Amino acid sequence: MATMTLQVPELLEKEHDETVRLIAAKLYESGKLSLGQAAEMCSMKKWDFAEILINYGVHYFDVSAAADLDDFKHSFGK
């Protein structure tokens, strides 16, 4: 991973981890990062990161994945 310097207001200095998680969640949501890349950015395991996505209003399954899952279920009559 590359290192990037970001200038933020001083009040966010104490919120470093939270800020990184928010940025990673939004990059994941926009499709810029995979779940694994976003988790790595936060020094977390994929499944731990997936659990915190809800805190940022980000769904783990994107719309296309949910549609694929629905199609799969319908193909088996469930």
Side-chain angles (χ1 to χ4, degrees), residues 14-53:
K14 294 179 182 177
E15 302 294 329
H16 176 271
D17 292 345
E18 187 73 18
T19 303
V20 172
R21 288 178 186 154
L22 173 63
I23 293 168
K26 292 304 180 177
L27 288 171
Y28 168 75
E29 180 180 43
S30 69
K32 304 281 186 203
L33 295 179
S34 68
L35 183 67
Q37 291 168 324
E40 182 181 352
M41 184 174 162
C42 299
S43 300
M44 299 177 76
K45 294 181 181 180
K46 276 198 285 192
W47 305 119
D48 293 335
F49 182 75
E51 289 179 8
I52 67 152
L53 286 174

